[in-house]
Amino acid sequence: LSPDGRHLVVALEPKNADAGRGGKMPRFINESGYEDAEDVRTRVGRNPPVGQSLRLVDLAEGRVRALDLTTLPGIDVDPLAALRREHKQPALEGARPVRLIGLQFADDGTPLAMLRSVDNKDRWIVRIDRAQARLDTIHRLSDPAWINWNFNDFGALPDGRAWWLSEESGYSHLYVEEGRRPRALTTGRWEASQPVLDAARRHFLFLCNRAWPGDYEVCRVPVAGGEVRELTALDGVEDFALSPDGRRLALRWSAPFIPPQAAVVDVDGGEAVKLTDTRSSAFRAMPWREPRFVQVPSSDGAGTIWGKLYTPPRMEPGRTYPVVMFVHGAGYLQNVHQRWPVYFREQMFHQLLADRGYLVLDLDFRASEGYGRDWRTAIYRRMGRPELQDYKDGIDFLVADHQADRARVGIYGGSYGGFMTLMAMFKAPGVFQAGAALRPVTDWRHYNHPYTSNILDTPELGPEVYAESSPIEHAEHLQGRLLIAHGMIDDNVFFQDSVRLAQRLIELKKPGWELAGYPLERHAYVQPESWYDQYRRILELMDAT
């Protein structure tokens, strides 16, 4: 609804579109004592999102007009046409389907819309001409891999011009409309995110990681262009908000062993006033040791692989140490930074391991967040290959510089980290002596459509790509010891993935593996006993090997 109440912009979907066949997930523990089933999502390729059409509704006149999406530049060109021909799939007929992903209004009520192609190769920002019921394209972003699901902020300036974030330079930066060409307000090998206009609407405030990829501060840049200034020096700013009078910023900040806290700072910068410390006295009294931030050289020409290294309190000269490598989940997530990590439990576990004489290395492998577009899309149609090379480079780094024993290396992680643990154990046999794959994807053909089709396209457009990137297809190469741990009511990565892998390992007569199922757990565990059992098993695995 427009601010003046005059117009509506409406997105419509076909009423009887095929949503695809969903799954049934069994639940074995419940109050009835009988097993039952829960409806769960469909698999990739079984339910591609349907396209939408747009209508402009004039509420005063009671008039509904269609908005012509075929005027979007490039909408009639199929970026997957060559793959369709190669795999003998039907050619796409007509314009590519698109979906509305955002709508903003200028001060005068003019709608600005962000549209994305269903194949996720294009994103358009358009201005809707209410008088003519016409779309005028302001900006088009194309990516031969996939458009990021982050950095889609956009809006209107007081004079009606559009502003937006875009990765077109290779990093997320802030742009404003200037005639027929966009003007970049920020540039460089760093990322701008979460932009907002200040109270006077003369500056943008946003998060930036200019010093190094893991250092996040609040930055400011004039709308008219000019110097980018850092307003904070907290290293780990997570979020911010303007005060109602526009004079101060409320901050949420954190550090590796300090969970998120509140602070305030003047809108022109200066020393932040910290308002809270929610840590218990027992937690503060623990002898936490900050991880060391390290830069691992890439043998693939990818530059620097940033990591967190945990070492024993005292390293003895001439002695070599066993290694545990951690792989974060989500694929596109950043864990090497100066904030409180998503994996705060694992961070404590890593210190426990270091105290017991292990070197622990946690890498932001290729596909991780915070390092620009090329790092993000390095896994397009080859999941599991660049990331595994990054971990092998990590081993070389530890052996060369940190007294690591190449013959004693273990690896573990959950979700995407579980997938990568399996790839390490199956695709680099002998390099890793032990692995703990937690809630792992074992076959990408069974994961969801929005995530998987971005990275691997769909199974019919790359069956060989899915086979190469699915651990279950490489299980015959398993050496060493493998722990698989999975919540049995996981509605993200289904427990079925681990069950199917277990059957494959049985058929292959493989020794040295075990499957631990957690009947009351979904993808993210909630029972303390489950967390304890899982990490006890991981610790025992590493100690035994």
Side-chain angles (χ1 to χ4, degrees):
L1 179 66
S2 61
D4 61 10
R6 174 70 185 261
H7 292 93
L8 281 174
V9 177
V10 182
L12 303 177
E13 294 182 2
K15 188 174 296 185
N16 299 314
D18 182 7
R21 178 184 172 183
K24 296 284 186 183
M25 181 175 67
R27 298 169 58 105
F28 295 100
I29 296 181
N30 51 53
E31 293 182 353
S32 72
Y34 288 87
E35 69 281 359
D36 57 22
E38 179 179 316
D39 291 331
V40 290
R41 60 162 172 79
T42 57
R43 273 69 164 172
V44 59
R46 309 295 178 87
N47 64 326
V50 297
Q52 294 175 330
S53 58
L54 297 183
R55 303 289 188 272
L56 179 65
V57 182
D58 188 318
L59 297 174
E61 297 181 3
R63 185 165 52 149
V64 180
R65 289 177 287 175
L67 295 171
D68 185 5
L69 298 176
T70 64
T71 62
L72 295 171
I75 192 66
D76 57 345
V77 178
D78 180 12
L80 295 171
L83 283 175
R84 294 188 205 281
R85 289 192 297 271
E86 178 185 346
H87 293 284
K88 298 179 172 53
Q89 296 295 312
L92 192 66
E93 295 182 5
R96 285 184 286 156
V98 302
R99 293 181 65 85
L100 177 70
I101 63 170
L103 191 70
Q104 303 286 340
F105 288 92
D107 287 354
D108 67 358
T110 299
L112 301 177
M114 181 175 282
L115 303 164
R116 185 182 299 202
S117 58
V118 166
D119 59 32
N120 216 7
K121 307 292 187 183
D122 276 285
R123 185 195 79 179
W124 298 268
I125 300 171
V126 299
R127 182 176 285 108
I128 300 175
D129 184 320
R130 291 177 292 173
Q132 303 296 321
R134 185 183 69 233
L135 301 182
D136 295 324
T137 300
I138 299 168
H139 184 256
R140 176 190 177 190
L141 176 65
S142 298
D143 196 310
W146 73 93
I147 301 292
N148 201 339
W149 40 83
N150 287 357
F151 311 130
N152 292 304
D153 310 62
F154 73 106
L157 296 170
D159 59 10
R161 290 182 299 146
W163 63 264
W164 62 89
L165 289 180
S166 172
E167 279 189 319
E168 61 198 76
S169 71
Y171 292 83
S172 170
H173 283 296
L174 185 58
Y175 295 80
V176 294
E177 185 182 8
E178 196 165 276
R180 301 298 298 175
R181 300 186 64 180
R183 179 183 180 185
L185 297 184
T186 62
T187 60
R189 296 175 61 84
W190 53 275
E191 295 185 330
S193 60
Q194 302 181 32
V196 297
L197 286 165
D198 65 9
R201 303 171 85 178
R202 290 197 294 265
H203 294 86
F204 279 103
L205 304 169
F206 56 95
L207 289 187
C208 58
N209 59 348
R210 299 198 307 167
W212 67 279
D215 176 6
Y216 285 87
E217 306 291 353
V218 179
C219 279
R220 184 173 74 181
V221 68
V223 170
E227 179 189 6
V228 175
R229 278 192 56 212
E230 290 190 13
L231 303 180
T232 58
L234 288 167
D235 299 335
V237 176
E238 297 190 349
D239 202 358
F240 68 94
L242 270 166
S243 62
D245 62 8
R247 295 170 57 189
R248 292 192 296 174
L249 294 173
L251 306 172
R252 188 173 74 235
W253 71 279
S254 63
F257 283 102
I258 302 176
Q261 306 296 331
V264 291
V265 69
D266 187 86
V267 76
D268 292 320
E271 187 172 354
V273 178
K274 297 176 181 177
L275 303 178
T276 63
D277 186 346
T278 61
R279 294 172 297 171
S280 68
S281 57
F283 188 87
R284 287 198 306 270
M286 290 289 290
W288 304 118
R289 300 194 311 278
E290 298 279 321
R292 295 169 57 185
F293 296 100
V294 296
Q295 300 181 56
V296 175
S298 167
S299 64
D300 256 4
T304 294
I305 310 159
W306 283 89
K308 288 193 289 193
L309 176 63
Y310 303 79
T311 61
R314 288 173 297 278
M315 301 278 286
E316 298 176 17
R319 177 183 170 186
T320 58
Y321 292 83
V323 174
V324 173
M325 309 191 90
F326 174 67
V327 193
H328 69 66
Y332 191 62
L333 178 146
Q334 187 175 12
N335 203 48
V336 180
H337 51 61
Q338 292 181 297
R339 297 162 162 171
W340 176 257
V342 171
Y343 298 96
F344 61 90
R345 299 178 186 86
E346 289 78 357
Q347 178 176 254
M348 293 187 287
F349 182 60
H350 296 163
Q351 180 157 324
L352 181 150
L353 287 169
D355 288 346
R356 293 168 71 96
Y358 290 91
L359 297 168
V360 183
L361 185 60
D362 171 3
L363 292 178
D364 271 348
F365 49 87
R366 274 174 286 179
S368 296
E369 182 182 1
Y371 303 88
R373 181 264 170 198
D374 291 350
W375 196 263
R376 171 177 70 82
T377 61
I379 60 169
Y380 179 57
R381 292 180 68 87
R382 55 183 198 141
M383 291 170 83
R385 287 164 56 191
E387 314 95 293
L388 181 54
Q389 186 58 52
D390 293 344
Y391 275 87
K392 291 162 76 174
D393 289 344
I395 297 172
D396 292 342
F397 168 78
L398 293 178
V399 169
D401 298 339
H402 294 282
Q403 300 175 233
D405 185 345
R406 191 183 293 276
R408 290 187 292 160
V409 180
I411 188 169
Y412 88 101
S415 194
Y416 199 96
F419 152 69
M420 279 307 306
T421 296
L422 294 176
M423 292 297 273
M425 296 298 292
F426 298 165
K427 300 281 280 184
V431 175
F432 301 90
Q433 282 67 54
L438 320 175
R439 52 197 182 276
V441 175
T442 69
D443 188 340
W444 287 108
R445 290 162 290 211
H446 285 244
Y447 199 54
N448 69 39
H449 186 92
Y451 181 89
T452 318
S453 66
N454 281 344
I455 304 171
L456 298 179
D457 295 319
T458 55
E460 64 269 15
L461 295 182
E464 75 287 356
V465 170
Y466 274 78
E468 182 62 28
S469 291
S470 293
I472 198 168
E473 300 289 348
H474 311 286
E476 68 271 17
H477 302 300
L478 173 63
Q479 297 178 18
R481 290 273 303 278
L482 173 64
L483 164 67
I484 307 165
H486 209 140
M488 294 175 65
I489 54 172
D490 187 338
D491 51 5
N492 181 354
V493 179
F494 301 145
F495 183 57
Q496 182 188 25
D497 260 47
S498 289
V499 172
R500 292 178 68 244
L501 178 61
Q503 177 60 27
R504 182 69 183 133
L505 293 170
I506 291 167
E507 292 167 358
L508 292 167
K509 301 178 182 177
K510 284 291 181 181
W513 65 275
E514 63 177 305
L515 171 61
Y518 295 84
L520 295 179
E521 300 297 355
R522 295 192 183 273
H523 199 60
Y525 292 5
V526 295
Q527 308 292 334
E529 296 83 2
S530 300
W531 281 111
Y532 170 79
D533 185 86
Q534 178 176 266
Y535 277 88
R536 174 186 58 79
R537 290 174 187 268
I538 299 170
L539 181 61
E540 290 173 353
L541 173 69
M542 299 305 170
D543 281 350
T545 54

